Amino acid sequence: MNNDLVMITEAWAPHAGWPRIVFVNEAFVRLTGYSRQQALGQPCNLLHGEETDRDELNRLEQAMARGEPARSEQMNYAQDGRPFWTGIDMAPILSATDAKTPWVFVQSDLSRRPRTSAEIEHLAYHDALTGLANRTLLMDRLQQTLAACARHPVYCGLMFIDLDNFKDVNDPGGHAQGDQLLLEVAERLQTCVREADTIARFGGDEFVLLLQTLGSDPAEAAANAETVYHKIAALLAEPFQSQSLQYRANASVGINLFGQLPTTADELMRHADMAMYQAKSAGKNTYRFFDTGMQKMVDDQAWMGNELRHAVQREQLSLHYQAQFDVQYGMIGAEALLRWSFPGRGLVPAEIFIPLAEQIGVIRELGNWVLGVACQELARWATIPAMAHLVMAVNVSPQQFQLPGFVEAVLDVLARTNARPDRLKLELTESVLIQDLSGVRRSMATLKAHGVGFSLDDFGTGYSSLKYLKQLALDQLKIDKSFVADVMTDSHDSAIALTIVTLGHSLGLQVIAEGVETVAQRDFLVRIGCNIFQGYLYSEPLAAKEFEAFICLQPQGAKAQV
Ligand code: C2E
Ligand code: CA
Ligand code: CA
């Protein structure tokens, strides 16, 4: 878990007072006790107090006036007045030649440093909040358990625990209350298991137990796993001390038993996760074992995977196009979305089979097919006056982007189809940026030099995104549809949307919202400064012919019908 506090301010001109905060990361909220709502809009000296060194502050202010990065150590104060000592790195986001620039401040908590190597080792394998095992450690232990199972006839279990109503605490009470609750849950879980068992937290409100030696046959193991479940459910139902209101936790629990049959750690985890979802859809606050009905679904997947391998040759794939609207300029482009016309099942949405394609390693073939068809269509649009200005957005899966030869393949398709590179926009997700940042940066720069644009898809769902935002040749941020869905009802989501819009604009990027379904959502987004939209409110993804007909119905050059 990242423990560095990150804060970004609005664009600031020298001598204009302290700039206001437009972004804080999760660590900021966790360590200072200020919620996002409380911090956003405040001047960036929010954490300063009595013993903050004025001379140092003057030095920082002078560096800011010169547009220069600076480093310092400062006494800060959390919301409850607790002082803490941090090392600050601050830097302008735009170049020194820009008169106004947003600033980014990264602060590390010095009271925790220096760390010994034992502490660093602990951090690598444990969840920072609860001290429970993290995913890495759990997977490690699971591998060991699997190896042991192959040698001895015992049954073990994986238990996925997801708190049902955690949002009820985390939203109104703020993250600090949510964290307190998670700590108490962690403590209670520890009393439900034996020494040899492993308890892990996977971030958020998801806990995973690895239960050793539940029995020597499946029936005995199942009975023992049920006993553990009932213990957990009873303990969670006890009121929590830290909550002023009488909060009682429910959990949906998925249990997967395993023994000598060959399997992999990943598969076991996936099945336990599926069982947890079954418990959730059965009405929550209950448990489900992974069973063969679910197994059938998995088998179905294997079969579908096989079919998918032949989809290109069998000409079962097609692209649909979903319009993108600008409030001012009307329709400005479309996103190409892949569809699989599967015999007997109609059109299968990408959501179902893209992850499968990635899993079974056919994403390169599908991706190349998509690029080829999209560019061909783009070249065709160029010959139709009402469509010649449209930009085609194409999704690129992280795996596909990282394959050697990706850049060349794109340039090759553009040359072959005669499509204009500056009308092509590639949509990447944040996960692509985590692995090999410098490689990604190089590939993007090469394509960019040819005019190809880039959008960062599903923005806000990924990790600490700020590090790389500035370094990449991006043109657009795309607010994920999950935030748009609840933008009217969930203050957390509306704050995220606002942050993305502010951040994007301060970096000179376009910001588009996807999944816009209602006028109310659209109006809210316009109010916070987002002017480009995509979603059912405007149009569903349409087949090429229908899309063309749809465009020809739009008033030419007029504003979008918004
Ligand atoms: P995405 O890039 O986030 O695409 C948007 C998804 O939201 C599409 O689902 C679209 O049909 C759906 N959508 C559009 N408007 C609305 C709305 O108003 N409300 C809601 N709830 N949903 C809306 P689809 O087509 O099932 O695609 C799912 C995902 O599959 C895409 O998410 C994208 O990540 C991936 N995908 C689609 N086509 C391709 C492709 O050609 N290549 C790759 N690598 N991935 C693709
Ligand atoms: Ca997309
Ligand atoms: Ca998206």
Side-chain angles (χ1 to χ4, degrees), residues 190-377:
Q190 272 158 327
T191 67
C192 299
V193 299
R194 287 171 303 180
E195 187 83 22
D197 300 335
T198 303
I199 313 179
R201 173 169 173 257
F202 277 17
D205 54 351
E206 235 180 39
F207 295 87
V208 181
L209 306 190
L210 171 58
L211 304 170
Q212 306 280 355
T213 322
L214 282 171
S216 51
D217 66 72
E220 186 190 356
N224 282 331
E226 277 173 322
T227 308
V228 175
Y229 165 79
H230 288 300
K231 250 203 243 170
I232 291 173
L235 273 180
L236 290 182
E238 298 279 318
F240 282 83
Q241 289 160 9
S242 62
Q243 308 302 314
S244 46
L245 52 159
Q246 289 258 310
Y247 176 79
R248 286 181 165 80
N250 294 335
S252 298
V253 174
I255 306 171
N256 189 10
L257 300 177
F258 57 96
Q260 259 177 320
L261 282 181
T263 176
T264 65
D266 283 335
E267 184 169 69
L268 286 173
M269 296 287 284
R270 229 179 23 253
H271 290 175
D273 194 36
M274 280 169 72
M276 188 273 288
Y277 274 100
Q278 292 265 309
K280 271 224 188 300
S281 45
K284 303 185 174 174
N285 196 19
T286 185
Y287 68 101
R288 286 288 179 271
F289 282 101
F290 174 75
D291 69 16
T292 45
M294 277 186 241
Q295 184 61 53
K296 191 177 166 323
M297 274 170 46
V298 175
D299 293 344
D300 257 14
Q301 282 233 322
W303 172 71
M304 244 167 82
N306 251 334
E307 294 290 305
L308 188 55
R309 288 180 204 278
H310 305 294
V312 174
Q313 300 99 298
R314 291 182 189 159
E315 303 189 349
Q316 293 171 338
L317 297 178
S318 63
L319 287 185
H320 278 198
Y321 303 93
Q322 188 177 33
Q324 299 181 333
F325 275 90
D326 182 303
V327 175
Q328 203 178 353
Y329 302 109
M331 195 178 314
I332 55 170
E335 176 176 6
L337 293 161
L338 187 55
R339 295 291 177 264
W340 178 20
S341 155
F342 190 64
R345 296 210 186 180
L347 281 187
V348 186
E351 212 164 31
I352 310 272
F353 69 86
I354 289 285
L356 185 60
E358 288 174 341
Q359 234 175 54
I360 64 173
V362 298
I363 193 71
R364 184 215 292 254
E365 200 188 353
L366 293 197
N368 283 342
W369 185 89
V370 169
L371 270 169
V373 174
C375 288
Q376 227 167 28
E377 185 68 2

Side-chain angles (χ1 to χ4, degrees), residues 457-458 478 480-481 514:
D457 204 354
D458 304 341
K478 203 165 192 185
D480 186 60
K481 56 180 177 296
E514 69 175 4

Side-chain angles (χ1 to χ4, degrees), residues 44-55:
C44 70
N45 62 349
L46 176 67
L47 304 179
H48 298 169
E50 214 175 316
E51 283 181 41
T52 310
D53 185 334
R54 302 291 139 187
D55 293 341

Side-chain angles (χ1 to χ4, degrees), residues 5-67:
L5 283 66
V6 178
M7 174 171 97
I8 293 184
T9 72
E10 64 187 344
W12 178 82
H15 315 298
W18 293 108
R20 287 175 308 156
I21 302 171
V22 297
F23 175 89
V24 292
N25 71 346
E26 207 211 306
F28 183 102
V29 174
R30 190 158 25 89
L31 299 175
T32 68
Y34 286 102
S35 70
R36 282 210 165 80
Q37 286 95 324
Q38 287 168 331
L40 299 186
Q42 296 297 319
C44 70
N45 62 349
L46 176 67
L47 304 179
H48 298 169
E50 214 175 316
E51 283 181 41
T52 310
D53 185 334
R54 302 291 139 187
D55 293 341
E56 271 297 280
L57 288 185
N58 284 339
R59 195 173 67 75
L60 292 186
E61 206 175 0
Q62 282 160 17
M64 280 177 82
R66 292 191 300 271

Side-chain angles (χ1 to χ4, degrees), residues 324-325 329-334 378 380-391 423 547-558:
Q324 299 181 333
F325 275 90
Y329 302 109
M331 195 178 314
I332 55 170
L378 189 56
R380 195 180 73 85
W381 289 354
T383 66
I384 304 168
M387 303 179 84
H389 65 291
L390 298 180
V391 169
R423 293 275 192 272
F547 181 66
E548 190 178 336
F550 173 73
I551 303 254
C552 295
L553 282 176
Q554 300 296 314
Q556 286 307 300

Side-chain angles (χ1 to χ4, degrees), residues 489-542:
T489 47
D490 185 331
S491 62
H492 194 231
D493 286 353
S494 47
I496 290 177
L498 174 63
T499 306
I500 296 174
V501 173
T502 318
L503 180 65
H505 288 168
S506 73
L507 292 171
L509 305 177
Q510 260 188 4
V511 179
I512 179 171
E514 69 175 4
V516 180
E517 294 182 358
T518 67
V519 172
Q521 288 167 347
R522 199 257 335 269
D523 289 349
F524 176 86
L525 289 160
V526 168
R527 272 206 305 283
I528 64 171
C530 176
N531 295 321
I532 311 179
F533 310 103
Q534 177 183 341
Y536 299 154
L537 176 63
Y538 298 93
S539 163
E540 294 188 1
L542 301 170

